[in-house]
Amino acid sequence: MHRLALALLVLSLLIGGARLFTGVVYPLDEPTALLVLKRAPALWIERPEARDRPLPDQIVLDRDEPTLAYAWLYLPLMRAAPALAPALAGAAVLLLAISARRRAQARR
């Protein structure tokens, strides 16, 4: 159970981190979608390239025309991340509590 709890906790951190530090940008001058690494945590998931924040401000991780091949998975997952990440962390804590309780009962 400890390994499963650890896996759930790591997955929770990965999903939460991806939500805050990655996003999809659509450049204004070309029909391309870019998966970018944000320089600072931000809540936006996808947006057109902002005129006040040029694209070089972001680190490009992937580029695809006209949209990202995995956008069907990435966008819904990032929209669900505010609820999914805490739920996974809660499940990990619950598994650890159940495991500790079973070990305590086995010692008696």
Side-chain angles (χ1 to χ4, degrees):
M1 266 204 223
H2 288 288
R3 287 183 182 162
L4 179 59
L6 180 62
L8 288 175
L9 188 59
V10 167
L11 189 58
S12 170
L13 291 172
L14 285 173
I15 289 173
R19 171 69 163 87
L20 291 175
F21 290 101
T22 65
V24 178
V25 173
Y26 303 101
L28 297 174
D29 58 346
E30 58 186 87
T32 305
L34 306 169
L35 180 66
V36 297
L37 184 62
K38 302 171 192 171
R39 298 228 184 239
L43 295 178
W44 59 270
I45 299 171
E46 60 181 334
R47 69 174 189 185
E49 181 182 37
R51 294 191 192 281
D52 62 333
R53 297 181 63 119
L55 190 58
D57 187 40
Q58 313 295 329
I59 299 169
V60 177
L61 299 174
D62 191 17
R63 172 187 307 257
D64 204 359
E65 284 185 29
T67 186
L68 298 170
Y70 45 85
W72 63 272
L73 177 64
Y74 175 80
L75 294 173
L77 185 61
M78 291 302 107
R79 287 186 185 111
L84 185 60
L88 290 172
V93 169
L94 186 61
L95 280 174
L96 289 175
I98 290 171
S99 175
R101 188 172 185 181
R102 284 186 180 171
R103 276 188 278 142
Q105 287 176 349
R107 290 182 193 156
R108 292 182 188 176

